Amino acid sequence: MNLRRDVFQAIADPTRRAILLLLTSQSMTAGAIAANFDTARPTVSKHLQILTECSLLKQEQNGREIYYHINAKKMKEVADFIEPFRKMWDDRFNKLEAIMKQYKTKK
């Protein structure tokens, strides 16, 4: 049975979000990534597996090392999906700010 990982479940985990942030500037090996966390290396490897299975990360073999890097295309898909929600919340907060300013001036 081939299970597909859900991107939003993957990024819901704070450790996986931290891994994504680490990889925004450079590709890294699993060991280099694990060195940034206070967890066992197999735990970090599991996080990398989940991020790879949902295509947020790509692997690139370089000799004996496997380097992980961000899959920009998949990240853009996620950002494009979230964008309408961000706009909706921006509009709501702008309306709330306007109401609060009116309330302050009436006092």
Side-chain angles (χ1 to χ4, degrees):
M1 183 173 187
N2 187 11
L3 296 176
R4 299 238 352 140
R5 297 273 184 189
D6 179 64
V7 164
F8 295 101
Q9 286 179 341
I11 61 176
D13 184 274
T15 301
R16 290 191 283 269
R17 288 193 307 270
I19 290 170
L20 290 171
L21 287 172
L22 272 174
L23 295 173
T24 57
S25 59
Q26 65 180 350
S27 297
M28 299 173 78
T29 64
I33 294 166
N36 289 277
F37 298 94
D38 279 339
T39 58
R41 177 145 178 206
T43 303
V44 172
S45 291
K46 183 65 176 173
H47 287 303
L48 292 171
Q49 177 186 359
I50 291 168
L51 290 168
T52 303
E53 286 176 1
C54 66
S55 299
L56 289 171
L57 295 183
K58 288 184 178 180
Q59 297 177 335
E60 186 176 315
Q61 184 97 24
N62 188 357
R64 291 179 13 161
E65 300 285 345
I66 296 175
Y67 285 84
Y68 292 89
H69 57 93
I70 297 284
N71 180 355
K73 184 178 177 182
K74 187 65 170 186
M75 293 296 282
K76 177 153 177 25
E77 287 176 20
V78 172
D80 289 347
F81 176 82
I82 292 172
E83 183 62 20
F85 299 102
R86 188 191 65 75
K87 286 181 180 177
M88 176 191 68
W89 283 108
D90 281 348
D91 290 345
R92 288 182 181 187
F93 283 123
N94 289 338
K95 287 177 185 175
L96 178 60
E97 183 178 28
I99 290 169
M100 295 302 290
K101 283 181 181 177
Q102 285 178 349
Y103 178 74
K104 267 187 156 180
T105 57
K106 288 182 182 179
K107 274 187 136 180

